[in-house]
Amino acid sequence: MREYLPILIMILVGIGLAGVFTAISILFGPKLSTETKQTPFESGFLTQGTEGQRYDVKFFMTALVFLVFDVEVVFLYPWAVQIRELHWPGLIAALFFISVLVLGLVYDWKKGALEWE
Amino acid sequence: MQLVLEFLALPFVQDVLKILFILLLFAMPLGTFMTLMERKWSAAVQDRIGPNRANIGSYRGRGLLHIAADALKSIFKEDLIPKGADKFLYTIAPFFSFMSAVAVFAIIPIAGPIGDFKFQVTDVQPGLLFIFAITSLGVYGAVLAGASSNSKFALFGGTRASAQMISYEVFLGLSLMGLFMVYGSTQVSAIVEGQGEHWFGLIPKWGVFTQPLGFVVFFTALIAETKRAPFDAPEGESEIVAGYFVEYSGMRWSSFMLAEYIAIVGVAALITTLFFGGYQVPWLYHWESAPQWLVTLLQFGKFASFTFIFCWFQIQIRWTVPKFRFDQTMALGWKKLLPVALLNTVVTAIIIVALA
């Protein structure tokens, strides 16, 4: 586990740098806040309604499709690394697995889950 | 003196030194330089001169001083938080972007190992998978920034960014499958080592030659992950102004921008490492009597120059290719890149098993 420590330090350094930037902005930036400045940007029009309305179901569909494919890709990694040892039996098993994956893709495609028009 | 050497030999001290070196002397300077280079090169593409006015007395340094001018300008900009914004999420959103851009450099080897000493911050065994797990947290940067700003444009950008980034992560992982098969490991040092060999002592066994399709998919997916043109629908200047960080100002905004440019350097470094032999200088093995310091220097030079070339290449792509509409971005991913990446995986697997 020792070799994972530098990655943790790296993440902390990254967060630290961004934190320093934010602190600089808070410290040195002038504070001349007015009512108009605080309103969210809307192309110069007055703000209408609030955010957090309904959004397109396609984003939700994309998240679902992502979940399926990303998890299945993760299952393939161990096989990819060990492919020479597993040889033909491993390949046939993996091809079966991938064909199920492709079937899923075809199903999504036919059902229109990938359409964005 | 003895004490200093012993202190430098401590593993923890070495880690910190390596991290500071690769971040403060390699990634961040190159990233900040990219901000200028983008403007200069876009000017060259459009037949303009580009920024050249910032000066100290009569010294203008061909626009180099604009980097300092930009930094000073954004330091003294007003720090605005829109009304109704979630202050905590609004503050931590850039942290995620910055952290995920920076984390890539933890596994990039910048030169070949000398004995036990590696010119690499850490060489974990899951290597790339671990790093992708961390960099994918960058999605939170875009999503939180969009959701916490209390602005519709930011929310649109954030939603688009989330859909695009998670989609292209699938192809990113899948395109590397063939590479893992060819070099038999997910560890970065093993992949780079494998690329040091040659076919017939002539053609280097680089990833781009063993996995040409994988390279194309991987590069495309990485550009989409950094949300740069031609995949910049989440930031879409012409429709949603700046997308998820439209409400940010001052250094908070700068950390988003700097994160993007550091991500460019990270992408270039990853491409170099995985597909262009990393630090491996082709045909160098013929010169057996080469002194170690010169070899290391050559290796670093090769890695740095290839990284720089791919940084430039990304900028060139941005100013050459027209941008995709959002539905085109998604269609390209799911309907073209995914089948291609799957096909690449299957074909590579069959070839390797047949030859083994």
Side-chain angles (χ1 to χ4, degrees), chain A residues 3 35 37-38 41 48, chain B residues 78 83 122 152 247 335:
Chain A
E3 65 258 38
E35 185 75 14
K37 258 190 214 170
Q38 282 192 330
F41 174 82
Q48 294 223 336
Chain B
E78 186 170 352
K83 212 195 295 174
T122 183
K152 279 171 224 155
E247 295 295 341
K335 292 182 180 174

Side-chain angles (χ1 to χ4, degrees), chain A residues 62-83:
Chain A
T62 309
L64 280 183
V65 180
F66 157 77
L67 206 60
V68 174
F69 279 90
D70 211 38
V71 171
E72 295 197 37
V73 166
V74 170
F75 281 130
L76 283 173
Y77 282 130
W79 161 71
V81 176
Q82 294 290 322
I83 186 165

Side-chain angles (χ1 to χ4, degrees), chain A residues 2-4 7 11 14 21 25 29-30 32 35 37-38 40-42 48 51 62 66 77 84 87 115-116, chain B residues 11 15 77-78 82-83 98-99 122 126 134 147 150 152 166-167 173 180-182 241 247 251 327 335 356:
Chain A
R2 170 66 186 71
E3 65 258 38
Y4 288 90
I7 298 185
I11 292 171
F21 285 167
S25 195
L32 304 160
E35 185 75 14
K37 258 190 214 170
Q38 282 192 330
F41 174 82
E42 205 152 316
Q48 294 223 336
E51 72 156 339
T62 309
F66 157 77
Y77 282 130
R84 287 184 180 80
H87 219 240
E115 303 299 330
W116 276 83
Chain B
D15 288 343
K77 280 283 171 189
E78 186 170 352
K83 212 195 295 174
F98 210 86
M99 177 265 283
T122 183
I134 291 170
N150 189 27
K152 279 171 224 155
I166 62 172
S167 295
F180 295 156
M181 289 178 198
V182 173
V241 213
E247 295 295 341
M251 285 302 270
D327 61 309
K335 292 182 180 174

Side-chain angles (χ1 to χ4, degrees), chain A:
Chain A
M1 287 310 279
R2 170 66 186 71
E3 65 258 38
Y4 288 90
L5 183 67
I7 298 185
L8 185 69
I9 302 175
M10 199 83 163
I11 292 171
L12 291 180
V13 170
I15 293 176
L17 282 171
V20 168
F21 285 167
T22 309
I24 286 176
S25 195
I26 294 171
L27 282 178
F28 293 101
K31 302 271 179 304
L32 304 160
S33 201
T34 62
E35 185 75 14
T36 322
K37 258 190 214 170
Q38 282 192 330
T39 50
F41 174 82
E42 205 152 316
S43 302
F45 294 101
L46 290 175
T47 316
Q48 294 223 336
T50 51
E51 72 156 339
Q53 311 131 322
R54 292 180 289 181
Y55 61 92
D56 205 322
V57 73
K58 279 157 196 156
F59 289 103
F60 181 67
M61 295 295 285
T62 309
L64 280 183
V65 180
F66 157 77
L67 206 60
V68 174
F69 279 90
D70 211 38
V71 171
E72 295 197 37
V73 166
V74 170
F75 281 130
L76 283 173
Y77 282 130
W79 161 71
V81 176
Q82 294 290 322
I83 186 165
R84 287 184 180 80
E85 287 78 9
L86 295 173
H87 219 240
W88 287 111
L91 179 67
I92 290 162
L95 282 184
F96 179 73
F97 187 76
I98 290 175
S99 57
V100 175
L101 197 77
V102 171
L103 269 181
L105 179 67
V106 171
Y107 179 77
D108 286 340
W109 202 321
K110 287 267 183 266
K111 278 281 177 184
L114 310 179
E115 303 299 330
W116 276 83
E117 271 77 53

Side-chain angles (χ1 to χ4, degrees), chain B residues 179-193:
Chain B
L179 200 76
F180 295 156
M181 289 178 198
V182 173
Y183 301 107
S185 179
T186 55
Q187 203 168 4
V188 182
S189 61
I191 292 175
V192 178
E193 208 104 301

Side-chain angles (χ1 to χ4, degrees), chain B residues 97-171:
Chain B
S97 289
F98 210 86
M99 177 265 283
S100 76
V102 155
V104 180
F105 292 97
I107 52 148
I108 304 278
I110 58 170
I114 303 175
D116 275 347
F117 184 80
K118 284 176 175 165
F119 286 94
Q120 185 181 12
V121 174
T122 183
D123 193 22
V124 289
Q125 218 233 327
L128 290 164
L129 304 184
F130 196 77
I131 284 309
F132 283 143
I134 291 170
T135 49
S136 62
L137 289 176
V139 180
Y140 285 102
V143 174
L144 289 182
S148 67
S149 297
N150 189 27
S151 161
K152 279 171 224 155
F153 287 89
L155 187 68
F156 292 153
T159 326
R160 284 184 186 187
S162 66
Q164 177 176 324
M165 285 172 86
I166 62 172
S167 295
Y168 277 79
E169 230 163 76
V170 177
F171 324 133

Side-chain angles (χ1 to χ4, degrees), chain B residues 66-82:
Chain B
H66 272 271
I67 297 176
D70 285 346
L72 277 175
K73 180 183 152 203
S74 48
I75 285 174
F76 295 107
K77 280 283 171 189
E78 186 170 352
D79 179 38
L80 283 169
I81 300 179

